[in-house]
Amino acid sequence: MTPLASIIGSGFLICGPLLAREFGSAAILAMTALLGIAYAAGWVIRFNIIHVEDHLASAPFHDSIAWVARITQGVLALAYAVSVAYYLKLLAEFSLKPVAIDPAWRSIAANVIVTVIIGLMTLLAFGGSLRRVEHLAHGTVSIKIGIIAGLLVALAIAWARSGIVDPLPPVRLSFASIPMLLGLIITVQGFETSRYLGHDYPAALRIRTMRHAQWIASAIYLAFIALLTPFLSRAAATEGVAGILDIMELIAPALGLFVLAGAVSSQLSAAVADSIGSGGLVNEVSRRRISVPLAFTLAGALAVLIVWLTDPFEVVALSSRAFALFYALQCVLALMVSVRDRSATNAQRVGFVVIGLICLVAVFVGAPAEG
């Protein structure tokens, strides 16, 4: 449940309209490519769960692989902090979607909501109550999965009853599409949580469950895009990151309320979890010199800064670039340990290099989707 819940957040809800706008009828091909990149990155991390963790268990402090591992943890802490801005920005956008408000004030209102939530989370962190909030938020996972199942069934019924009424948008594929696609990596991110659960679960279980979570999430994403086909033209015409609500309310007015509830609850739980993860990683990388509450506060301050300086599409791309850098460093770790311990074939090493280069391209060229 942990990697599956991390992968399927509101990214699942925003990817349909965004891909429809950017790729037209080729949205499902774009989704397949995005999931392929994520699965390849997951393959590297699964390799590292076995070989890098085993190496680090006995490596001295000055070991080069241990140093790269610490840098990687620092990058992940930064990526988590950025993702908090992403999650809460989406939470605010979904919350304000049903409210009639001047567009000029909508962004300011969303930023104020995010700032208040981060402030409350920081107070809870210093009061020692944030873990209880996290445990409560985890209870929303089954609700979120249920809402997604209902959404898929509703789309299937709508297609069976009406068929494809509107003409499908034209296929849009070009080299200019690549930065847009790479800027959406955050929507399929989350599987890497298994890498840092070694204190609770054995390696074999984490590898198996991460792989299964990616399979299940991929099936859900592809089914969602496929079932959205009759509504691709309308999805492409929606505005903002919460455009899926317009499609769901078109199918059944009550469905929009359920999707809204699922989106808000999942974003809040993900933001709390990533805030705690960021604080814990900074505390660990600093060798306990920075306390968890202080690290949490620094992460919150960075998230607030990002929220006020970016729009929703820019924060999606920025979060994607941060996680792409983490995945690229995971490829470096895999290559280093495989060369030192001869734990991989030449073909696998070539795979590490290719995947790492793709992730580096995402770091440097990942671009926001069009508003």
Side-chain angles (χ1 to χ4, degrees), residues 211-226:
R211 185 185 297 116
H212 291 172
Q214 286 197 284
W215 289 347
I216 294 168
S218 296
I220 291 173
Y221 273 82
L222 292 174
F224 174 59
I225 298 296

Side-chain angles (χ1 to χ4, degrees), residues 135-348:
H135 294 153
L136 180 64
H138 283 173
T140 66
V141 172
S142 58
I143 297 174
K144 178 172 65 176
I145 297 297
I147 288 173
I148 288 172
L151 186 153
L152 295 178
V153 171
L155 285 171
I157 292 173
W159 192 349
R161 291 180 61 184
S162 305
I164 300 178
V165 178
D166 299 327
L168 296 179
V171 171
R172 289 192 288 273
L173 285 176
S174 67
F175 284 112
S177 304
I178 294 175
M180 302 291 186
L181 184 66
L182 295 177
L184 292 174
I185 286 176
I186 187 68
T187 62
V188 292
Q189 161 273 333
F191 49 88
E192 73 285 336
T193 53
S194 296
R195 169 70 177 83
Y196 297 101
L197 293 174
H199 56 286
D200 290 324
Y201 303 103
L205 179 63
R206 286 182 287 140
I207 289 169
R208 186 172 69 253
T209 52
M210 188 209 294
R211 185 185 297 116
H212 291 172
Q214 286 197 284
W215 289 347
I216 294 168
S218 296
I220 291 173
Y221 273 82
L222 292 174
F224 174 59
I225 298 296
L227 292 170
L228 197 64
T229 298
F231 309 97
L232 280 180
S233 293
R234 302 185 195 191
T238 59
E239 296 182 358
V241 291
I244 191 63
L245 288 178
D246 295 333
I247 303 298
M248 292 302 102
E249 289 174 353
L250 181 69
I251 296 171
L255 195 58
L257 295 175
F258 282 105
V259 172
L260 177 61
V264 170
S265 62
S266 65
Q267 294 306 94
L268 183 59
S269 62
V272 171
D274 279 11
S275 296
I276 292 173
S278 180
L281 283 168
V282 169
N283 175 256
E284 184 176 334
V285 171
S286 69
R287 303 180 72 186
R288 308 294 184 269
R289 291 187 181 92
I290 300 177
S291 67
V292 171
L294 177 58
F296 187 97
T297 303
L298 293 174
L302 176 61
V304 169
L305 185 65
I306 291 171
V307 162
W308 281 95
L309 293 179
T310 61
D311 65 34
F313 296 99
E314 289 171 338
V315 80
V316 170
L318 185 61
S319 301
S320 295
R321 295 168 82 167
F323 276 98
L325 179 58
F326 168 73
Y327 297 144
L329 288 172
Q330 285 289 319
C331 293
V332 172
L333 277 174
L335 187 62
M336 289 177 69
V337 79
S338 68
V339 169
R340 178 176 294 191
D341 301 341
R342 300 188 181 280
S343 52
T345 64
N346 288 333
Q348 287 176 310

